[in-house]
Amino acid sequence: MPKEFRRDVFQAIADPTRRAILSMIALQAMTPNALAEHFDTTRQAVSKHIKILTECHLVRQELSGREIYYHFNAKQMKEVDQWLEQFKKLWEDRFNQLDDVLFNLKPNDYED
């Protein structure tokens, strides 16, 4: 794979195992072995997931002695946040419309 190749962030987070890995290392840096303990799969399978997350820069590695620790790169999630932003306004508008409809459906307590 060429060095300039960059995986798509959306493909990376589409996988539930990779999302779980991101959630764990967002709380604290972890080694591949520590991550693998949380999954019912091989360490090699977890390492492949970590490789994909690293290739799209969602995680970065840091060598500490003989251990490699993986850290969450929150800045890279900006691409996801920017894409989702277009939908936030739409959702807010629809929820506000629903609130208006529900409010108008309430019986008026002051009518006889």
Side-chain angles (χ1 to χ4, degrees):
M1 188 175 302
K3 197 163 185 108
E4 68 275 355
F5 177 81
R6 182 174 166 264
R7 286 194 184 264
D8 181 65
V9 170
F10 295 96
Q11 288 177 329
I13 64 171
D15 184 275
T17 300
R18 290 192 287 270
R19 289 194 307 269
I21 290 169
L22 287 174
S23 295
M24 285 188 279
I25 65 170
L27 298 173
Q28 69 178 26
M30 297 178 78
T31 65
N33 286 335
L35 285 165
E37 290 174 6
H38 295 273
F39 299 95
D40 188 24
T41 187
T42 64
R43 185 194 178 286
Q44 288 77 17
V46 171
S47 290
K48 285 182 182 181
H49 287 297
I50 293 169
K51 181 179 184 220
I52 291 168
L53 293 170
T54 302
E55 287 171 354
C56 66
H57 307 289
L58 286 169
V59 299
R60 62 179 174 76
Q61 50 180 286
E62 179 182 297
L63 189 62
S64 178
R66 300 175 96 177
E67 294 282 354
I68 295 175
Y69 284 86
Y70 288 92
H71 299 264
F72 179 61
N73 181 9
K75 289 180 186 176
Q76 191 61 27
M77 289 298 287
K78 191 116 181 106
E79 183 178 348
V80 175
D81 184 53
Q82 288 170 343
W83 185 79
L84 287 173
E85 189 62 39
Q86 64 185 320
F87 299 103
K88 288 178 185 176
K89 176 78 170 115
L90 175 70
W91 294 334
E92 287 173 7
D93 289 346
R94 289 196 177 166
F95 282 126
N96 287 337
Q97 289 172 357
L98 180 60
D99 282 345
D100 292 343
V101 167
L102 293 174
F103 180 78
N104 290 326
L105 287 177
K106 282 184 177 177
N108 191 339
D109 291 335
Y110 302 107
E111 288 184 28
D112 291 309

